[in-house]
């Protein structure tokens, strides 16, 4: 069990270092994690504040917990649009901040 725990810690540290190296390389801000692979990635620069609206329908909002978000509806919908873009265009599945009850949009 001790060997498995050391091995697991090694792989977690290695993946964390790889992830933060990519974020650093592309100047993507993040708050360093304290355990495992958990960290806040700041993608606010990629939110589309300049557009008038997003195609999210009222009944689809529950998919990412927008109704429970600590932020306003418009900000949560902007975050949802980015969340869907990350999935569909880049194959990245990140936990949106709205579902974690963050107060500001754009954190994943």
């Amino acid at each position: 069990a001790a060997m498995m725990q050391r091995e697991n810690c090694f792989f977690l540290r290695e993946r964390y270092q790889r992830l933060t190296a990519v974020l650093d390389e592309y100047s993507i801000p993040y708050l360093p994690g304290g355990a495992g692979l958990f960290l806040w990635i700041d993608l606010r620069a990629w939110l589309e504040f300049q557009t008038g609206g997003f195609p999210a329908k009222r009944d689809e909002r529950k998919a990412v917990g927008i109704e429970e978000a600590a932020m306003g509806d418009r900000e949560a919908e902007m975050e949802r649009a980015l969340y869907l873009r990350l999935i569909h265009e880049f194959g990245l599945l990140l936990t949106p901040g709205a579902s974690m009850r963050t107060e500001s949009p754009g954190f994943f």
Side-chain angles (χ1 to χ4, degrees):
M3 183 175 165
M4 199 163 101
Q5 185 178 11
R6 281 193 304 274
E7 198 172 282
N8 187 45
C9 286
F10 171 80
F11 287 122
L12 282 173
R13 184 175 23 259
E14 179 184 49
R15 282 168 181 76
Y16 179 86
Q17 290 169 344
R18 286 172 56 190
L19 173 60
T20 55
V22 169
L23 295 172
D24 290 338
E25 180 181 348
Y26 290 95
S27 300
I28 298 172
Y30 62 92
L31 297 173
L37 280 177
F38 296 102
L39 55 89
W40 278 111
I41 300 173
D42 180 358
L43 299 179
R44 289 178 293 178
W46 287 271
L47 291 175
E48 298 182 18
F49 285 105
Q50 69 277 9
T51 62
F54 294 94
K57 295 179 185 159
R58 204 72 163 158
D59 62 340
E60 292 176 342
R61 293 167 39 124
K62 294 181 182 175
V64 292
I66 289 175
E67 75 284 353
E68 297 176 4
M71 64 184 83
D73 285 348
R74 179 164 162 64
E75 290 84 8
E77 288 183 21
M78 286 187 278
E79 184 174 272
R80 177 177 164 68
L82 178 56
Y83 166 77
L84 293 172
R85 182 173 178 222
L86 291 171
I87 291 172
H88 296 295
E89 291 184 31
F90 304 101
L92 291 173
L93 179 59
L94 304 174
T95 303
S99 67
M100 303 303 291
R101 301 188 55 81
T102 187
E103 295 178 5
S104 298
F107 287 91
F108 289 79

